Amino acid sequence: MRLLVAAFLALVPIALRAETGPVTLDETKSYVKADYAFLSSAIGSSRVVALGESIHMTREMPRVRLRIVRYLHEQMGYNVLAFEGSLLDAWTAAEHAYRGSGPVEERAAKMKREMLFGLWQTAPMQEVLEYVLSTQATAHPLYATSFDLQPGTARAYGGSTAESLRAFFAAVAPYDPASDPARIRQWNAELATALDRAEGANAGQVVDEIDAWLNGPVATSVARTRPAVHVAALRLVPVMLRNRLQLCQEWTAQHRSMVTYQRVRDTLNAQLVRDELKTFPDPTKLVLWAHHSHLHYNSLGQTIPSMGQHLHDVLHRDIYSIGLFAESGSAIDTATIDQAQGLGFLQAIAPRPIPHGPRWSVEEKLSRLSPQDFFLDLRHASEVWATRAPRAWKIEDGCRRCSRRTSMARSSSTA
C-alpha cells in the first residue's frame, strides 16, 4: 500500500497565513527526529493531538503514527496515548504490564490482547505498545490508556462485558485485602447485564459502591507502587461506567439505532477526554488514537456529531488533528465480512483494491500534490488546494474547514 502521508492533514480551521506546500517524508528510512521537527511549529502549544486513520486497519498507518507519537513524546512532552476501546480494559492491561516481566515483545503482545480490539491485533500495533513499554524505565514514561467506554471490546474478552469486569476486579482486589469476594462477584453480575442491555435497577447504586471502593482504599494502595497517572485512570473508571450506562439506556430507548449509539458514544467520549485532562497529573498532554469518524470536526454539519467536533468546540486551538489517508493498495472490507455467511466469508476476507471515486475525493486530491508521502498543514496550505478542493472541503470566512466524508464511508483493514 502506498500511504498518502499526503495522508497527513491538519484538520484545524484557522485563517490562512501563508502559502506553504507539502513537507515530503521518506517512510522507508529510519526514524530521525529532525525529519519531524515541522510538528513543533505546526502543533505549537496544543494540549491534545488527535491522530486519525481513514481505514481500520493497515500496516503503514500505525508505523507512521508511531513516528509521530515518538516525536510528540520525546520532543514535545506528550505523555498519554489514549486509544479507542475501553478505559476499563486499558487499565487492566496497564496494570498487568506493570506486574509483568520478560522480553518487551511478550509483554507488548499481552498488552495488545488485553487493551485493543480485534482489528488492531497486528504486528504494527504491537510495535506501538513496545515503544510505550520501552519508555517506562525513563524519566518521562508514556502512559497508554483509552478515552472510550466499550468494556469487553479487547481481544482477550471476546466482546464479553462480564469477562472484562471480572479481569478488572481480579486486578484491583489484591490492593484491598479486606474486600469481599462475594460482593465483587455480585457487582460483576449486576453490572454486566446493565452495561450490555440497560437492565438492572440497582446499576447506579452498584457503580456508586465501586466508586467509593476504588477512590478509597484501593486508590490509596495503588498510589504506593504505581505512577500517579495510573491512579488517576483508576479514579475515572466509575465515570466511564456511568457513561456506559447512559449510552446503553439511550441506545436501548432508540431501539438500538447505530446512529444513536455513535452520537451518544462520541458525546460521552469527548467528556471523558476532558475528564482525563482535568484528572491526570499536570502537565498532561494527550494523544488520541482513533478512526477519522470520531476525530473530524464536522464543520459542514453533514455527519453525526463526533468526539472531535465536541472537543474542538471547547478546546479550540488547544486541539490539533492529523488525518492519515491511504492513496492506494488493498484492504479487507470489514463491513462485508460482518454481513457474510457460510462460504461467503472466505470470499469476504480476501483483500480488495482500495476504490476510487467521489467518496474518495480527498485521497485523489491529495495524490496530485506530490508523488511522495507528505504532511500538509491546512492552515498554511497553498491557495491552489483551496480553489481546487473537492466537495468534501469548504472555505468560509477565510478559513479552511474540513468535513470528513471519506472517513465515514468505509471501515476496513488490510491483510
Side-chain angles (χ1 to χ4, degrees):
M1 171 180 290
R2 178 175 174 233
L3 183 69
L4 270 172
V5 186
F8 288 62
L9 240 11
L11 311 182
V12 184
I14 298 175
L16 303 177
R17 289 177 289 187
E19 293 195 0
T20 303
V23 178
T24 58
L25 297 170
D26 184 355
E27 299 307 311
T28 65
K29 61 182 289 190
S30 298
Y31 171 81
V32 177
K33 67 179 181 182
D35 292 343
Y36 295 86
F38 60 85
L39 290 171
S40 294
S41 57
I43 294 170
S45 61
S46 299
R47 288 188 66 196
V48 179
V49 170
L51 287 181
E53 61 187 12
S54 60
I55 58 174
H56 293 323
M57 175 63 205
T58 68
R59 287 185 296 270
E60 294 84 358
M61 287 187 182
R63 287 174 173 151
V64 171
R65 282 191 286 180
L66 175 55
R67 292 168 179 244
I68 299 175
V69 168
R70 183 172 177 180
Y71 186 88
L72 294 176
H73 172 243
E74 296 175 1
Q75 308 302 321
M76 298 185 67
Y78 287 81
N79 51 6
V80 176
L81 175 60
F83 296 94
E84 279 189 65
S86 164
L87 176 67
L88 187 81
D89 297 351
W91 193 92
T92 304
E95 176 61 24
H96 288 166
Y98 285 129
R99 298 180 190 178
S101 59
V104 68
E105 295 83 4
E106 292 180 6
R107 290 185 289 126
K110 178 179 174 64
M111 193 176 195
K112 176 184 66 176
R113 181 173 174 79
E114 294 181 337
M115 178 179 287
L116 305 179
F117 49 65
L119 283 173
W120 283 346
Q121 301 297 311
T122 65
M125 290 300 290
Q126 181 167 320
E127 292 168 14
V128 174
L129 295 178
E130 287 174 9
Y131 175 76
V132 170
L133 292 178
S134 74
T135 70
Q136 299 309 301
T138 70
H140 303 287
L142 178 64
Y143 185 72
T145 185
S146 175
F147 57 80
D148 209 346
L149 42 75
Q150 302 185 110
T153 52
R155 170 62 64 83
Y157 311 120
S160 170
T161 298
E163 286 301 305
S164 169
L165 289 166
R166 182 203 58 75
F168 172 75
F169 288 134
V172 168
Y175 285 107
D176 181 17
S179 60
D180 180 0
R183 185 60 182 136
I184 291 176
R185 287 194 296 270
Q186 186 177 356
W187 285 343
N188 198 333
E190 293 184 18
L191 267 188
T193 300
L195 295 175
D196 282 341
R197 299 193 296 273
E199 297 176 1
N202 297 325
Q205 179 181 340
V206 170
V207 175
D208 289 344
E209 293 177 11
I210 294 172
D211 194 345
W213 182 53
L214 295 181
N215 281 283
V218 173
T220 300
S221 183
V222 172
R224 296 190 184 104
T225 58
R226 299 288 183 252
V229 66
H230 191 55
V231 181
L234 178 69
R235 294 183 184 278
L236 286 176
V237 166
V239 176
M240 188 218 101
L241 293 176
R242 292 189 183 97
N243 286 354
R244 177 66 186 184
L245 287 174
Q246 180 180 341
L247 169 62
C248 200
Q249 290 164 358
E250 294 193 32
W251 184 38
T252 301
Q254 294 298 318
H255 309 290
R256 301 216 157 196
S257 158
M258 292 311 299
V259 171
T260 298
Y261 187 92
Q262 183 167 337
R263 175 182 58 78
V264 179
R265 176 188 168 202
D266 274 42
T267 299
L268 295 174
N269 282 349
Q271 292 178 13
L272 191 53
V273 169
R274 294 170 63 190
D275 288 334
E276 289 176 341
L277 288 172
K278 291 186 293 185
T279 305
F280 287 176
D282 191 50
T284 286
K285 299 181 74 176
L286 189 63
V287 180
L288 307 177
W289 185 295
H291 190 272
H292 285 167
S293 60
H294 302 297
L295 299 179
H296 71 96
Y297 293 162
N298 192 26
S299 58
L300 297 184
Q302 296 178 351
T303 59
I304 299 170
S306 67
M307 178 180 76
Q309 174 185 336
H310 297 309
L311 289 174
H312 185 260
D313 288 345
V314 174
L315 298 176
H316 306 294
R317 298 192 184 190
D318 221 12
I319 182 170
Y320 187 94
S321 297
I322 300 174
L324 278 72
F325 297 82
E327 180 211 22
S328 61
S330 60
I332 297 172
D333 188 339
T334 57
T336 301
I337 293 174
D338 290 341
Q339 298 171 10
Q341 297 180 357
L343 294 177
F345 178 80
L346 297 178
Q347 182 178 2
I349 63 174
R352 304 177 182 185
I354 293 175
H356 296 274
R359 292 173 67 188
W360 285 267
S361 56
V362 171
E363 285 88 342
E364 292 184 356
K365 172 63 180 179
L366 287 168
S367 69
R368 301 189 195 110
L369 297 183
S370 173
Q372 296 178 266
D373 294 343
F374 64 87
F375 175 96
L376 177 67
D377 187 339
L378 291 184
R379 295 178 305 175
H380 312 291
S382 168
E383 281 299 322
V384 173
W385 172 264
T387 57
R388 297 181 185 175
R391 286 184 299 165
W393 297 83
K394 183 177 182 180
I395 308 302
E396 293 178 345
D397 302 326
C399 297
R400 183 163 283 110
R401 301 182 183 273
C402 172
S403 173
R404 268 284 311 119
R405 291 191 308 151
T406 54
S407 66
M408 296 288 293
R410 184 179 177 94
S411 178
S412 308
S413 62
T414 61

